[in-house]
Amino acid sequence: PITAAPSNDVMAQGKEVVTKKGKGKDQYGRSFGKKQKAAMLEFTKTLWLQDATTSLKNLMQYEVAQQAFMAFLKTEYGEAQLEFFLEAQKLEKLDPNSQSQQALQIYNMFINVAGKGIGQQERTAATQNLWDNANRSSGSSLDPMTALNLVRKEAETTLNMLAFDAFPRFVKSKYCGSVLDSIKQQGGNSQIEGMLSQANAKAPQDADDWLNMFVATAESMPACIVISDMTIPGAPMVFVNQEFCRTTGYAKEEATGRNCRFLQGPETEPEAIQVIRNTLSKGQDCHVKLTNYRKNGEKFQNLLSMKPVFDADGIYRFVIGVQFEITEDSNLKQRLVQLDKLLRLLPSKLNLRSKASARAKGAMAVKTSGEANQMIANKEQILQQARQAEIQEMTENQNRPKQLVSASSYDPKTLNYDRTVSSFTKIMWLQDPMGACRALLMDPLCRDYFLKFAEGNCSILVQTHIQFFGICMDIRTAQGAQQIKKIRSAHMKRNKNVLFYCATTEIVYGTLNNLNWGPIFENLCLWQEQTAFFLSSEAFNRFLEHPSSIEMISKLRQRELAGEQLPIRTVAAGVNPQSETFWLELFRNFSETVSIGMVISDMTVPGIPLVYINEGFRGVTGHGKEKIGTNCRFLQGKETENYLNDEIMAALQQSEQLFVKLHNYKANGQKFQCLFALQPVFGPAPDTEYKYQIGIQLDFNPADPDLNRKINEMARVLRLLPQAVGGEKLPGVDAYLHDLETNYSPPKHAPVGGGFGQSAPVSGGFGQQAPISGGFGQQAP
């Protein structure tokens, strides 16, 4: 065996992970993330091993079946294992003396040959040296009888592996059909036809059935076997066998649902991690020697082999991982050769389709070629088609195993988005606080909310200016003679007249009937603009932080839906509230008002593709919306810090917030320091499904005169971003905001406004109406 027999002690351990670094900590001392519910799978074991093994063994007595099975294996596995089995079968027809001599030749030809492992297209020097040293070592000589026994034992193992995996799918392939056709042309053979019929009845119907059957084999293997489902974001392990538990010290329930990165630690080789990333992202075989850690903190040398498996549609479905603990002894070469043979028995492609749900996820997944997957733009349509196909599958196959992975879901049309609309709207407004504050004060309802807030939270000066703005609006929106009447009436008040506190007009009461109100009106307009500036800097931010602002924005949204023309708009203006992509459309609207880079990744789709990129991202990196459907690896380069990449990957996997500065590369190849933040977004309770990760980037260039404004903008966006699609705020954001403001932020007096421009013009902007200024005595716009 490759490793010692499994122990059942580990399986009885509790679910709480306690490593050398403490309870609930990995080998770096970081807290483990939440398990992904979708990955906690239950597999049904099958009991047809004996029948399949017997059927295959009998079938291989016929030359036509041998040829067809050999042709099938060449398309998926490689034919070397069947060649060995057929040569071993010939031994049984020889006399005892010839048997032992021929067995020695077969042993040297197939078993004692030099191995090389898989994944030769990219491997570290340490991995290659391991194989080179083992192959240079001389194997011990065997007597003929020992060789015969080893050949028989190896042949039995090979037969079992072929019977469990390759044979059931062979009988569903076109190659098996050619066997039946040949038999019928020769007059029929009921024995062969019966074997194939029996095997066909038990063959897997799709890729998920295949997985169910494969794990029954893997459970009893004397090697560490893990399986990851690539259609689940983050590629968590959905199965580990008992030997994995014995070797690592982790129980099944502690390992499933996690990516195998949790075995890494401080001394895990960065170059080995890079090989794993590069090969698996391309859908290539991975074979690498690296340092891993057991649960108790003990290090061990692991020769990790990972085999990508694609289904009949070319969807990247599974990765089968085989872990081989390296112990330097005289049997290392023999055990490496056994590993090599095991790896070559693993498939790379299934002639089976996946269930509808997996097909849908695979269709939208990040492509192994690195090209943008345009299908992500049609996510809701693809998922709707998948749901309909699932219903049909359940109807047609009522006796089939249930779907392996059932993701939690909610109806986006019934969710209350008031808090989300409020948060995104505030970010949008604060990109131009002067323009937004002015537009808000133009609306009587919003002005009332602002005044009520000021009466309980601000100085009398702020309250006076809000009242002054309201009086000015009342005058400016009046028509013709009514405008003269209103401005005269406003100036006649003597007790605490806000016009006298907020403007510089001097009036003699006895001369009111003879005044030229035109210059006075123009003076009021100038001071009204100064009032908007004063309120935007002194009170607007505080008002938007007050709970009453949420109610105000909600009422604005209701008026928008009613078709009312407003001087200020919310982020939801023009967005269909019944759209299944309502939340994402809100994100698009507000992100296009910020100047820094903002992207969003869909954590429910394999490969974590980008589903939206704002124009600010193009300004930072040179890459734009053409990268939607890929992931952010295109920003990495030779000087990108691997340890920071590890932190980013861990944050993505464990649904955590993150704030780092690392070297990335722009579209033109220029290296730059990227100030980067991650903000997870969850679905509503009770499932709180991990939905999105929002990434925020800026070019941290000390020579940029606009850097201070950009850092302030980044901090403001992070502070206001909700952590749930319903707009809820979760704990934790304050810690990395403190890091940003302490280590990177400019002095407190730096300006707070600015998006792509500085201050929006009076006309247009936040409102739909024309400018508020106009000539005295004319009809207001």
Side-chain angles (χ1 to χ4, degrees):
I2 294 175
T3 53
S7 167
N8 291 326
D9 294 341
V10 174
M11 304 307 298
Q13 296 176 10
K15 297 182 180 180
E16 184 65 44
V17 180
V18 181
T19 69
K20 188 177 181 181
K21 293 293 184 178
K23 186 175 182 180
K25 304 285 187 180
D26 66 9
Q27 301 300 336
Y28 289 99
R30 298 178 304 205
S31 298
F32 279 122
K34 295 185 294 184
K35 298 179 182 179
Q36 298 190 32
K37 294 181 180 179
M40 299 303 293
L41 310 178
E42 294 184 1
F43 298 99
T44 56
K45 291 189 176 182
T46 56
L47 300 176
W48 58 281
L49 170 62
Q50 185 175 358
D51 290 340
T53 304
T54 302
S55 298
L56 177 59
K57 186 175 182 178
N58 292 335
L59 188 65
M60 288 300 98
Q61 298 176 20
Y62 300 90
E63 185 175 356
V64 63
Q66 293 176 11
Q67 294 173 351
F69 195 33
M70 186 79 72
F72 168 76
L73 289 176
K74 288 180 180 180
T75 66
E76 295 192 9
Y77 301 81
E79 67 281 6
Q81 299 307 310
L82 181 59
E83 290 176 352
F84 161 70
F85 174 76
L86 294 176
E87 290 296 324
Q89 287 290 90
K90 293 177 182 178
L91 288 176
E92 306 307 323
K93 299 178 181 179
L94 301 178
D95 62 82
N97 290 332
S98 301
Q99 264 186 351
S100 56
Q101 293 301 321
Q102 185 65 23
L104 192 57
Q105 295 182 21
I106 294 174
Y107 174 82
N108 289 326
M109 182 182 300
F110 291 99
I111 299 178
N112 197 36
V113 293
K116 54 186 178 181
I118 61 174
Q120 297 176 73
Q121 68 277 9
E122 184 173 358
R123 57 171 55 173
T124 63
T127 307
Q128 189 59 50
N129 289 339
L130 175 68
W131 282 101
D132 291 344
N133 293 336
N135 290 329
R136 280 195 294 267
S137 64
S138 58
S140 56
S141 58
L142 293 179
D143 62 87
M145 286 305 299
T146 301
L148 177 61
N149 290 332
L150 289 174
V151 167
R152 284 172 171 168
K153 183 177 180 180
E154 188 71 21
E156 181 180 0
T157 300
T158 301
L159 176 65
N160 287 338
M161 284 294 298
L162 291 172
F164 256 109
D165 183 30
F167 180 54
R169 289 183 297 105
F170 162 71
V171 299
K172 302 287 289 186
S173 71
K174 62 181 181 180
Y175 300 95
C176 183
S178 66
V179 175
L180 291 174
D181 292 341
S182 176
I183 292 172
K184 290 177 181 177
Q185 291 174 4
Q186 298 174 13
N189 186 313
S190 58
Q191 185 177 4
I192 294 182
E193 293 183 35
M195 293 175 192
L196 295 179
S197 176
Q198 182 183 26
N200 184 51
K202 298 176 181 179
Q205 303 298 307
D206 55 39
D208 298 293
D209 286 353
W210 171 85
L211 181 59
N212 270 328
M213 294 177 177
F214 182 82
V215 297
T217 314
E219 190 61 71
S220 59
M221 286 183 183
C224 295
I225 304 293
V226 303
I227 301 174
S228 297
D229 191 331
M230 301 305 288
T231 64
I232 301 176
M237 294 183 293
V238 296
F239 170 80
V240 299
N241 69 349
Q242 291 191 18
E243 183 62 15
F244 172 89
C245 298
R246 187 201 67 80
T247 301
T248 66
Y250 290 97
K252 282 178 179 283
E253 58 268 32
E254 295 174 329
T256 51
R258 294 196 177 102
N259 189 286
C260 60
R261 284 190 292 270
F262 74 92
L263 294 178
Q264 297 172 12
E267 295 184 31
T268 301
E269 297 78 2
E271 61 272 21
I273 297 174
Q274 192 61 41
V275 168
I276 294 172
R277 286 183 185 148
N278 290 345
T279 53
L280 292 187
S281 66
K282 299 173 185 175
Q284 298 174 342
D285 292 347
C286 175
H287 188 65
V288 64
K289 176 179 177 288
L290 75 167
T291 301
N292 276 164
Y293 289 75
R294 307 186 209 276
K295 181 179 175 179
N296 62 7
E298 178 187 352
K299 293 183 292 186
F300 70 98
Q301 294 300 302
N302 182 12
L303 183 60
L304 174 65
S305 306
M306 303 184 80
K307 186 88 169 179
V309 180
F310 296 81
D311 71 4
D313 295 314
I315 293 174
Y316 195 175
R317 277 308 318 268
F318 307 110
V319 167
I320 303 173
V322 180
Q323 298 189 33
F324 175 91
E325 183 177 356
I326 301 169
T327 53
E328 298 292 343
D329 55 36
S330 59
N331 294 325
L332 178 60
K333 177 181 178 179
Q334 180 183 352
R335 291 188 293 118
L336 282 173
V337 169
Q338 289 177 332
L339 171 67
D340 190 60
K341 294 182 183 301
L342 171 61
L343 295 175
R344 298 184 189 286
L345 284 169
L346 300 177
S348 58
K349 184 176 177 62
L350 308 176
N351 286 324
L352 298 166
R353 300 191 78 194
S354 298
K355 284 185 169 68
S357 58
R359 291 201 304 272
K361 291 180 179 179
M364 298 181 290
V366 171
K367 293 184 177 181
T368 55
S369 64
E371 299 175 292
N373 189 347
Q374 304 298 331
M375 297 294 287
I376 192 65
N378 303 317
K379 177 184 175 183
E380 297 306 322
Q381 180 182 354
I382 292 171
L383 293 180
Q384 180 61 31
Q385 293 173 349
R387 284 190 284 268
Q388 295 173 355
E390 280 182 332
I391 294 173
Q392 184 177 353
E393 286 177 349
M394 293 175 63
T395 303
E396 295 175 352
N397 304 284
Q398 294 183 3
N399 295 325
R400 294 262 309 283
K402 293 182 179 180
Q403 180 183 346
L404 286 176
V405 180
S406 57
S408 59
S409 61
Y410 65 94
D411 185 359
K413 297 178 182 179
T414 62
L415 190 64
N416 186 335
Y417 289 101
D418 284 353
R419 289 184 175 274
T420 299
V421 171
S422 174
S423 295
F424 288 171
T425 297
K426 291 173 183 178
I427 295 174
M428 184 176 74
W429 286 355
L430 288 174
Q431 288 305 109
D432 176 19
M434 171 65 176
C437 183
R438 182 201 299 116
L440 183 145
L441 288 165
M442 290 168 61
D443 182 78
L445 177 66
C446 294
R447 192 165 61 244
D448 286 346
Y449 270 97
F450 201 175
L451 182 58
K452 288 178 182 177
F453 160 78
E455 288 171 348
N457 300 276
C458 300
S459 68
I460 189 66
L461 182 60
V462 170
Q463 300 171 40
T464 300
H465 273 281
I466 295 175
Q467 294 168 357
F468 171 72
F469 196 100
I471 292 172
C472 291
M473 282 303 301
D474 192 35
I475 295 170
R476 297 177 73 168
T477 55
Q479 301 179 13
Q482 283 295 318
Q483 195 172 56
I484 299 175
K485 183 178 179 180
K486 284 184 177 291
I487 193 171
R488 185 179 186 278
S489 175
H491 282 84
M492 286 183 68
K493 182 180 178 182
R494 299 191 180 191
N495 184 32
K496 297 182 179 178
N497 190 334
V498 297
L499 271 66
F500 300 148
Y501 294 111
C502 301
T504 57
T505 304
E506 294 185 5
I507 293 192
V508 178
Y509 278 99
T511 63
L512 286 178
N513 293 331
N514 301 319
L515 286 177
N516 178 4
W517 292 102
I520 297 173
F521 175 81
E522 295 298 334
N523 184 262
L524 287 178
C525 291
L526 292 175
W527 283 109
Q528 183 186 20
E529 191 70 5
Q530 290 299 314
T531 287
F533 177 79
F534 167 73
L535 292 174
S536 68
S537 59
E538 291 295 323
F540 188 54
N541 270 312
R542 286 186 288 155
F543 171 53
L544 293 184
E545 293 173 357
H546 193 264
S548 63
S549 65
I550 299 175
E551 182 181 332
M552 180 197 71
I553 293 173
S554 178
K555 289 188 176 180
L556 270 178
R557 174 62 181 150
Q558 293 170 15
R559 293 163 65 193
E560 285 176 341
L561 292 173
E564 186 176 346
Q565 293 297 310
L566 302 170
I568 189 167
R569 69 174 186 267
T570 72
V571 74
V575 180
N576 180 7
Q578 295 301 308
S579 171
E580 293 189 347
T581 59
F582 182 71
W583 188 92
L584 195 56
E585 290 179 55
L586 298 181
F587 175 85
R588 291 170 181 165
N589 284 354
F590 98 81
S591 68
E592 290 298 350
T593 68
V594 302
S595 64
I596 56 177
M598 291 197 73
V599 300
I600 186 165
S601 298
D602 193 327
M603 302 306 297
T604 68
V605 177
I608 317 177
L610 299 171
V611 293
Y612 193 71
I613 298 173
N614 77 338
E615 282 303 306
F617 185 80
R618 186 187 297 277
V620 175
T621 69
H623 297 284
K625 292 179 175 56
E626 71 278 359
K627 291 296 184 179
I628 292 176
T630 68
N631 55 39
C632 274
R633 287 195 184 96
F634 58 82
L635 293 177
Q636 298 175 14
K638 61 181 181 180
E639 293 187 36
T640 300
E641 296 83 352
N642 286 329
Y643 74 96
L644 293 177
N645 272 337
D646 290 342
E647 290 190 23
I648 293 172
M649 292 300 296
L652 290 170
Q653 170 71 15
Q654 300 176 14
S655 62
E656 293 178 344
Q657 298 164 330
L658 181 70
F659 180 70
V660 295
K661 185 173 71 172
L662 75 164
H663 285 99
N664 277 159
Y665 290 79
K666 300 187 178 185
N668 61 6
Q670 177 188 353
K671 183 177 70 172
F672 73 102
Q673 287 193 83
C674 180
L675 204 58
F676 177 64
L678 277 176
Q679 177 68 47
V681 180
F682 300 90
D687 292 334
T688 59
E689 180 186 7
Y690 187 14
K691 295 287 292 181
Y692 302 106
Q693 269 281 12
I694 297 174
I696 307 177
Q697 304 87 0
L698 65 82
D699 183 351
F700 191 81
N701 180 6
D704 181 3
D706 205 25
L707 180 61
N708 285 354
R709 182 196 61 78
K710 293 176 182 177
I711 293 175
N712 272 333
E713 186 179 5
M714 186 181 208
R716 183 172 63 250
V717 170
L718 285 171
R719 183 176 290 106
L720 291 170
L721 272 180
Q723 286 96 52
V725 293
E728 297 86 349
K729 298 285 287 185
L730 304 178
V733 71
D734 292 339
Y736 76 162
L737 275 178
H738 176 74
D739 184 22
L740 172 63
E741 294 172 344
T742 302
N743 298 314
Y744 302 100
S745 276
K748 295 298 182 183
H749 64 268
V752 297
F756 285 103
Q758 293 303 312
S759 178
V762 176
S763 61
F766 288 91
Q768 305 302 318
Q769 294 184 349
I772 60 173
S773 59
F776 178 69
Q778 301 175 0
Q779 181 172 330

